[in-house]
Amino acid sequence: MITLQRPGALQALPPLSLYVHLPWCLKKCPYCDFNSHEVTRLGKAGPSIPIAQDAPSASRQLNAQTESLYLDALCADLESALPQIWGRRVHTIFIGGGTPSLFSPDSIDRLLADIRARLPLEPQCEITMEANPGTFEKDRFKAFRQAGVNRLSIGVQSFDDAKLKALGRVHDRAQAIAAIEEAQQHFETFNLDLMYALPGQSPADLDADISQALAFEPPHLSLYHLTLEPNTVFATQPPKGLPDDDTAFDMLDHLIERTTGAGLQRYEVSAYARPGHQCQHNLNYWQFGDYLGIGAGAHSKISFPDRIVRQVRWREPATYMDKARQGLACSNDTEVDLSSRAFEFMMNALRLKDGFELLRFGERTGLTLASIQQPLAQAEAQGLLQRDLARAWPTARGFDFLSDLQALFLKD
């Protein structure tokens, strides 16, 4: 008897990650297009939620009641989502924002306890939390480690006080250095975020930033080109003195040379790591794995044997908390149609220097390799991609013109 497989059906479900969004920050950076909200408004809960009135301005905290109410909403959100992922183990957790380190270590401890009580975690589950040096206090990172966080991602952006001010950051060079030194004491692996092509940044300024970062021998570096995203302050009021495109390309070349010389390998377009320190959570994104996103504005991608679904939570924090308590945390739920799956897969997989296994394409999308033979051949002919019998990966030229490479897989 011959069994016909439904077109697009998945033969195996990919690994599952959990993303938790904590949406508040001390100050909205002018370049940021993430769903983040300042904790400066006192009074009725709204886009920004009250802070503790006695908190010092450099390390303001959410008040305990707000933290508790938001954690209640996260818990309700997670419980409502459980039927979609029942029986699946979580490989990684990422607590992002906003600035998650605004939450107290006790709240992060409660959050992870709530998650463990409802989801089976892999024994070596990577648990990452984003942290801002502007929320740093001595022993605070130690308390996050004791709560169960085993990987920290610190948003340094620059070690130059003038550049930090131009970016609207709330920390300075001294706070960044103190935060990194504290992280070194309590975390076996951590990440530093740096930005380049900053307003008024010269090649010498950039070299000073990367030299200072590498002096800490970080296990992982994320290096981002400052971009003017829509719906940000910088989009409508661009900063003066931005390096031109040629200078920015030269800056990236210099960063690659310096990081490679320091033993960090570029494994993704913006990510550099020592062996064994790649971000497993982000790797799951780039390999078209599944992720459940809980929290205000969080996104999910969930695979089922017969379909792939994308979800978005309510974006505004107060609305999200209200809806989550009603079991209605999702504001949008759409199925990824067959015609979009190849492009969505390639949008992620081609960000990786090692590319992807050809068999994984079929496993994660439910499509045949025949469906992408033409764009693969076209990319190869243009020198953007290489392949053998097992894998396909972007060339150095493909990395430089990644958008052009990815667009080849976009159906009309």
Side-chain angles (χ1 to χ4, degrees):
M1 179 178 178
I2 299 176
T3 301
L4 297 178
Q5 184 175 333
R6 180 179 180 270
L10 304 186
Q11 298 181 23
L13 299 181
L16 176 68
S17 293
L18 176 68
Y19 175 79
V20 184
H21 192 71
L22 306 184
W24 293 288
C25 54
L26 293 178
K27 180 182 177 183
K28 182 79 171 180
C29 295
Y31 58 83
C32 177
D33 67 340
F34 295 159
N35 183 34
S36 58
H37 304 263
E38 291 187 13
V39 289
T40 55
R41 185 170 125 188
L42 299 175
K44 184 179 178 181
S48 296
I49 299 290
I51 60 173
Q53 297 191 46
D54 59 348
S57 59
S59 58
R60 284 174 285 188
Q61 315 280 312
L62 290 163
N63 65 33
Q65 182 183 17
T66 298
E67 292 191 18
S68 181
L69 288 173
Y70 193 74
L71 293 176
D72 289 344
L74 289 173
C75 194
D77 187 356
L78 179 56
E79 289 188 345
S80 296
L82 287 179
Q84 303 173 73
I85 56 170
W86 201 254
R88 298 178 65 178
R89 300 181 72 84
V90 171
H91 292 250
T92 67
I93 298 172
F94 195 102
I95 305 170
T99 303
S101 51
L102 277 173
F103 277 65
S104 70
D106 285 345
S107 289
I108 299 301
D109 182 68
R110 178 194 155 183
L111 169 65
L112 293 176
D114 286 346
I115 291 169
R116 289 191 184 95
R118 290 161 181 82
L119 289 174
L121 307 186
E122 288 291 339
Q124 303 301 319
C125 181
E126 176 191 86
I127 303 176
T128 303
M129 189 178 81
E130 291 181 334
N132 186 331
T135 62
F136 167 75
E137 295 173 352
K138 186 168 178 57
D139 292 332
R140 191 171 180 82
F141 289 176
K142 178 182 179 181
F144 288 136
R145 182 69 184 90
Q146 291 171 339
V149 175
N150 54 32
R151 185 177 183 274
L152 211 60
S153 185
I154 308 172
V156 174
Q157 315 312 354
S158 176
F159 292 96
D160 184 316
D161 284 338
K163 303 297 182 294
L164 289 169
K165 184 176 181 180
L167 291 173
R169 302 295 289 175
V170 298
H171 70 272
D172 58 22
R173 172 187 173 86
Q175 288 173 306
I177 290 173
I180 296 168
E181 289 174 344
E182 187 80 4
Q184 285 179 314
Q185 292 183 39
H186 304 296
F187 289 85
E188 293 78 19
T189 190
F190 60 91
N191 171 65
L192 301 183
D193 278 352
L194 284 183
M195 300 180 77
Y196 68 96
L198 305 180
Q201 188 175 44
S202 67
D205 294 334
L206 177 72
D207 191 62
D209 261 356
I210 191 64
S211 294
Q212 178 64 81
L214 294 176
F216 291 108
E217 300 184 351
H220 192 286
L221 268 176
S222 296
L223 304 176
Y224 300 111
H225 185 299
L226 174 63
T227 53
L228 307 186
E229 300 290 351
N231 303 315
T232 65
V233 173
F234 274 0
T236 55
Q237 303 172 39
K240 296 179 180 179
L242 289 174
D244 59 32
D245 289 343
D246 288 341
T247 301
F249 273 117
D250 290 341
M251 287 180 166
L252 177 58
D253 287 343
H254 182 67
L255 289 172
I256 294 170
E257 180 182 350
R258 291 294 311 274
T259 52
T260 301
L264 291 156
Q265 300 170 357
R266 189 186 191 192
Y267 70 100
E268 188 267 345
V269 168
S270 302
Y272 305 73
R274 301 188 190 281
H277 290 276
Q278 295 88 346
C279 178
Q280 297 304 310
H281 185 87
N282 285 344
L283 276 173
N284 193 42
Y285 288 153
W286 298 322
Q287 293 169 348
F288 210 54
D290 278 356
Y291 48 94
L292 172 66
I294 61 173
H299 290 239
S300 301
K301 171 190 169 277
I302 307 294
S303 298
F304 300 88
D306 61 341
R307 67 194 188 281
I308 299 173
V309 173
R310 289 197 179 277
Q311 301 171 337
V312 183
R313 265 53 178 172
W314 292 95
R315 181 179 177 86
E316 199 278 311
T319 301
Y320 165 76
M321 288 191 286
D322 182 53
K323 294 289 188 179
R325 286 191 291 266
Q326 301 175 50
L328 304 170
C330 282
S331 62
N332 194 300
D333 189 319
T334 57
E335 187 170 332
V336 181
D337 59 69
L338 287 177
S339 63
S340 302
R341 290 187 190 179
F343 178 65
E344 289 209 15
F345 180 93
M346 295 301 177
M347 278 286 290
N348 291 281
L350 292 176
R351 293 179 62 91
L352 292 170
K353 187 174 182 181
D354 290 340
F356 63 95
E357 297 175 56
L358 296 176
L359 289 177
R360 180 165 283 163
F361 172 79
E363 179 186 283
R364 300 284 165 92
T365 65
L367 304 174
T368 64
L369 277 176
S371 67
I372 56 168
Q373 282 304 321
Q374 182 177 348
L376 281 175
Q378 189 176 354
E380 202 169 15
Q382 293 179 13
L384 301 174
L385 180 139
Q386 287 183 288
R387 54 178 166 161
D388 56 25
L389 294 176
R391 304 187 67 86
W393 62 93
T395 61
R397 175 179 170 80
F399 248 21
D400 287 341
F401 297 95
L402 183 58
S403 295
D404 294 336
L405 171 57
Q406 293 164 331
L408 295 176
F409 297 88
L410 184 62
K411 290 187 178 292
D412 298 329

